Amino acid sequence: MSRAALLVLADGRFPAGGHAHSGGAEEAVGAGRIRDAGDLAAFCRGRLHTAGLVAAALAAAAADGTDPLALDEAADARTPSPALRTAARRLGRQLMRAARAAWPDPALDALAAARPRGAHQPVVLGLAARAAGLTPLDAAHAAAYESVSGPATATVRLLSLDPFDATAVLARLAPELDQVAARATEAARRCAAEGPGALPAASAPLLEIGAEAHAARPVRLFAS
């Protein structure tokens, strides 16, 4: 295992398409729910413990060897919003291209063939982590971090927020990120014995509603 591979996978410059998505931050800014660094911290904390936890558990389970097609179906069931399902699959397709170039692996090839329009991004992330020789906990950390780093970066652009303030939000969330990654990894272990039903299904209704509203906007900076 090369822990440096985790740095590559979690790097915002990794060409996985995440820069085009705000993780719900654009809609939250437009609705007035994010106006400053304090609001961003609250938004990211809520996202981390809901959508972030679900994504981290799916990624950890994929890295642990659970059937990725079963996990893809589980991801669909945990994503009520059609707009979010579409975004997750687009991100999964782009991540798949980058992962196959960086860490060629038969499991990635098989999932790409089975889901030509893209599997859910956390599932692809977990398989990519496995192909890179990383652990389920590494995959969970990458997914959890991505769930908050995307909105933080987007808010800098949307509000001209001081990037030092946005980075401070992420730094202060680090202990909770570790906790979420640990919970996700434990759920992935249960998944191996009990099936995908053992994975978290934390809901974030406002994110789902916001995603549908955002998808209907004629003008937007981010894809989601």
Side-chain angles (χ1 to χ4, degrees):
M1 182 187 72
S2 170
R3 185 54 57 83
L6 177 58
L7 302 180
V8 175
L9 188 60
D11 191 336
R13 291 163 292 188
F14 190 68
H19 66 280
H21 295 259
S22 76
E26 183 169 19
E27 184 62 29
V29 167
R33 292 192 295 274
I34 300 180
R35 294 162 295 181
D36 53 30
D39 293 338
L40 175 62
F43 177 88
C44 287
R45 179 171 288 108
R47 196 171 196 279
L48 174 63
H49 288 280
T50 53
L53 173 62
V54 172
L58 288 164
D64 196 40
T66 297
D67 177 8
L69 294 179
L71 292 174
D72 195 56
E73 293 177 0
D76 247 8
R78 287 160 173 75
T79 313
S81 162
L84 283 184
R85 289 199 297 271
T86 297
R89 292 192 179 281
R90 286 177 179 168
L91 283 166
R93 186 168 63 247
Q94 179 65 21
L95 175 58
M96 179 66 80
R97 291 179 61 195
R100 291 172 79 187
W103 303 288
D105 187 89
L108 289 170
D109 295 340
L111 181 58
R115 293 288 188 270
R117 295 188 176 183
H120 277 262
Q121 191 267 359
V123 179
V124 180
L125 178 62
L127 275 192
R130 185 178 177 89
L134 297 170
T135 68
L137 181 59
D138 290 329
H141 268 111
Y145 177 70
E146 185 177 58
S147 76
V148 293
S149 62
T153 301
T155 303
V156 170
R157 296 170 62 185
L158 291 163
L159 288 178
S160 297
L161 186 70
D162 188 330
F164 293 120
D165 290 338
T167 300
V169 166
L170 297 178
R172 290 166 187 155
L173 281 173
E176 292 177 59
L177 194 151
D178 287 342
Q179 294 167 11
V180 166
R183 288 179 59 195
T185 305
E186 177 56 34
R189 293 193 189 101
R190 294 197 305 273
C191 177
E194 303 170 24
L199 297 176
S203 63
L206 199 54
L207 284 178
E208 302 278 347
I209 294 168
E212 293 301 312
H214 183 269
R217 289 187 181 275
V219 178
R220 55 194 178 185
L221 182 61
F222 291 93
S224 70

